[in-house]
């Protein structure tokens, strides 16, 4: 079984003020100087963050079922549904991944909010989201490099709970991973701890394609994280 | 209305907490919500007037702008911070019973869920709407909600959840609350929650944003 573990330095993620402004909702107009000030402060404080991690594990024993629009990995059935099925079908391998920003941003965010600075608390929350996504993206790039050499391509990342794929499939996903992979645990209600964690599948194959934005497949049209 | 109250209201709306807050730039060096609330009390303006005429209306403007996507979370949080700085001067009057809030609102993220950012925003805005908020935190069991209701009879209750799986626990809490306190009013919210789901589980009100909840509560008093 092929797997790889990554530990990232915050600076490697290249998170920018502009990106965080967007995450906070600002698109057309720039936020007030005081918001930027807090974003910059939090960005700087995050430079010392540890425990930013991502890991993937590659599975060859996979089988797509066009009838149920499902996918079996090591004989475990995932009800990935129409949209995800259409993107993953044809893959020769599946990379199952996890990535996490760790607990630190949440702890610092709570401290800031309790100390009477809810805006700083929110900035930590938003940066936590960017970190976990950024870590997954860097892991994705490494995976890409590795398979390009073999003439293979990658699909987008797909996660349980999106695009009609039930979030409770997290339980099955976790059975494919060694215990405490990335120090992430799963609760009975399919919630990952630390909260700032994501999980999912990436398809790998000669015919696999990565499309520009997966947001257009999502039905949360009003989501302020929506990307064109 | 007294000029001080107009100014105070404006400071809350714009998130001008105190004299030292650098924002908004054109108000730099001027008194903020903190100082103005103190001055209003010293001038003999009643805590009730400060709450009803300055703070609550300012927070309603902010909440409505957020619902209409005219402002974003950071501006809402700055306003909440400014409001808190004014509120701290009113706390003694709440404690002595001289000034009363509209009622009590118990809020928590349901059992199995640890997300709190949305819940916290709702709590802040409801407090800004003139309610006493009892925030039970995250991963709140049904028993804890029931105990809070027992300790605070007649309180409204708000449940938050961010995943479809934890949203299921909302249903359990709603049923248990209904059974023990049939007259209680239950509000639900969070990313996966919909009006349909609210009705299905027998909750009383759903809102995609905090102001909807503030308005609903306002209609109930
Ligand atoms: C950012 C984000 C994340 C972040 C973390 C979020 C956080 N808060 O910490 C990260 C990237 C880590 C993440 C991970 C995951 N996420 Co996510 N995420 C989001 C996203 C894009 C925004 C959430 C957010 O922070 N919103 C901002 C806050 C302020 O809004 P809010 O919490 O919703 O609260 C507002 C309202 O809902 C309302 N409200 C809230 N509570 C209450 C209560 C009452 C009484 C009332 C009246 C109103 C109210 O008022 C608040 C202010 O307006 C949403 C999609 C969306 N647009 O909502 C998906 C979403 C929440 N995620 C989702 C999923 C599936 C996941 C994952 C399971 C994916 C995966 N497999 O990896 C993981 C789970 C993580 C875990 N720990 O288990 C789904 C959940 C639904 C479902 N299917 O279960 C959503 C809805 C996306 C979707 N398209 O379906 N996620």
């Amino acid at each position: 079984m092929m797997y790889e573990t990554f530990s990232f330095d915050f600076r490697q993620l290249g998170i920018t003020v502009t990106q965080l402004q967007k995450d906070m909702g600002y698109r057309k107009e720039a936020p007030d100087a005081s918001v930027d000030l807090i974003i910059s402060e939090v960005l700087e404080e995050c430079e010392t963050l540890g425990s930013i991690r991502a890991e993937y594990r590659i599975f060859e024993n996979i089988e797509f079922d066009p009838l149920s629009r499902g996918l079996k990995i090591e004989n475990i059935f995932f009800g990935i549904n129409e949209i995800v099925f259409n993107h993953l079908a044809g893959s020769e391998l599946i990379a199952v991944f996890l990535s996490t920003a760790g607990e630190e941003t949440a702890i610092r965010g709570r401290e800031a909010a309790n100390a009477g600075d809810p805006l700083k608390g929110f900035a930590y929350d938003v940066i936590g989201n960017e970190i976990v996504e950024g870590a997954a993206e860097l892991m994705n790039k490494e995976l890409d490099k590795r398979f390009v050499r073999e003439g293979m391509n990658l699909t987008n990342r797909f996660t349980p709970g999106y695009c009609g794929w039930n979030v409770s499939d997290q339980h099955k996903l976790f059975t494919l991973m060694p215990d405490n992979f990335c120090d992430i645990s799963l609760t009975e209600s399919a919630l990952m701890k630390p909260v700032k964690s994501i999980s999912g599948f990436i398809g790998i194959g000669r015919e696999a394609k990565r499309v520009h934005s997966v947001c257009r497949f999502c039905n949360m049209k009003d989501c302020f994280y929506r990307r064109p | 209305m007294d000029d001080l109250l107009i100014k105070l209201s404006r400071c809350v709306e714009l998130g001008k907490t105190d004299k030292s807050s650098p924002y908004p730039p054109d108000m730099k060096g001027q008194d903020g919500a903190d100082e103005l609330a103190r001055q209003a009390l010293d001038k003999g303006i009643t805590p009730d007037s400060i709450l009803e005429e300055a703070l609550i209306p300012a927070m309603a403007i902010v909440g409505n702008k957020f619902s209409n996507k005219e402002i974003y979370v950071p501006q809402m949080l700055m306003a909440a911070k400014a409001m808190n700085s004014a509120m701290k001067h009113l706390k003694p009057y709440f404690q002595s019973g001289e000034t009363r809030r509209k009622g009590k609102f118990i809020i928590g993220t349901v059992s199995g869920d640890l997300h709190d950012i949305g819940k916290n925003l709702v709590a802040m805005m409801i407090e800004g709407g003139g309610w006493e908020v009892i925030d039970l935190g995250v991963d709140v069991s049904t028993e804890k909600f029931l105990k809070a209701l027992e300790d605070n009879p007649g309180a409204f209750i708000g449940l938050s959840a961010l995943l479809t799986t934890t949203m299921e626990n909302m249903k359990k809490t709603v049923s248990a609350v209904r059974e023990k306190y049939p007259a209680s009013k239950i509000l639900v919210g969070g990313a996966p929650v919909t009006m349909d789901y609210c009705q299905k589980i027998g909750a009383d009100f759903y809102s995609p944003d905090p102001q909807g909840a503030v308005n609903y509560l306002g209609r109930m008093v």
Side-chain angles (χ1 to χ4, degrees), chain A:
Chain A
M1 181 106 23
M2 199 195 314
Y3 76 92
E4 229 178 326
T5 305
F6 306 91
S7 218
F8 299 113
D9 185 84
F10 179 74
R11 276 166 287 230
Q12 279 176 280
L13 305 175
I15 299 172
T16 61
V17 173
T18 319
Q19 187 52 49
L20 293 169
Q21 290 173 342
K22 274 198 193 142
D23 295 344
M24 290 181 172
Y26 299 94
R27 292 285 145 97
K28 291 180 217 97
E29 68 289 83
D32 333 312
S34 53
V35 176
D36 279 351
L37 205 73
I38 289 194
I39 295 180
S40 309
E41 199 179 302
V42 169
L43 268 173
E44 210 182 299
E45 287 172 14
C46 280
E47 289 192 0
T48 55
L49 279 183
S51 65
I52 303 173
R53 297 173 62 184
E55 295 182 284
Y56 68 77
R57 216 171 163 180
I58 307 285
F59 292 90
E60 292 171 6
N61 180 9
I62 62 169
E63 192 187 326
F64 288 94
D65 177 21
L67 263 182
S68 64
R69 311 313 257 175
L71 162 65
K72 272 188 191 165
I73 302 180
E74 300 288 333
N75 280 321
I76 299 171
F77 180 82
F78 291 89
I80 53 178
N81 266 319
E82 193 68 23
I83 298 169
V84 182
F85 182 90
N86 289 342
H87 282 82
L88 292 181
S91 301
E92 293 151 57
L93 305 165
I94 293 286
V96 179
F97 73 88
L98 288 173
S99 111
T100 185
E103 289 288 5
E104 197 54 30
T105 52
I107 294 171
R108 293 192 198 175
R110 253 194 310 275
E111 274 169 12
N114 290 340
D117 197 345
L119 178 52
K120 191 166 182 186
F122 180 62
Y124 263 114
D125 184 80
V126 170
I127 215 166
N129 301 342
E130 263 320 311
I131 293 173
V132 62
E133 292 288 355
E137 189 56 33
L138 286 184
M139 173 217 65
N140 212 147
K141 285 203 173 106
E142 292 299 320
L143 197 62
D144 222 356
K145 266 194 242 157
R146 177 172 194 155
F147 283 97
V148 158
R149 287 197 291 264
E150 298 171 28
M152 308 266 242
N153 300 306
L154 266 54
T155 67
N156 294 69
R157 296 189 292 276
F158 292 95
T159 70
Y162 277 76
C163 303
W165 179 7
N166 201 309
V167 72
S168 58
D169 264 10
Q170 290 272 66
H171 290 292
K172 296 184 203 162
L173 187 151
F174 269 68
T175 63
L176 294 174
M177 301 305 236
D179 277 352
N180 290 327
F181 218 52
C182 269
D183 286 330
I184 301 174
S185 60
L186 193 69
T187 66
E188 206 183 309
S189 48
L191 179 91
M192 286 177 280
K193 284 206 270 195
V195 169
K196 300 296 182 193
S197 301
I198 55 174
S199 66
F201 292 173
I202 302 172
I204 303 165
R206 269 165 281 264
E207 301 300 319
K209 271 201 289 289
R210 186 165 179 169
V211 295
H212 176 60
S213 160
V214 282
C215 285
R216 64 196 172 92
F217 306 117
C218 175
N219 50 16
M220 291 194 81
K221 303 286 180 229
D222 282 337
C223 178
F224 64 80
Y225 284 92
R226 199 175 178 88
R227 308 214 158 125

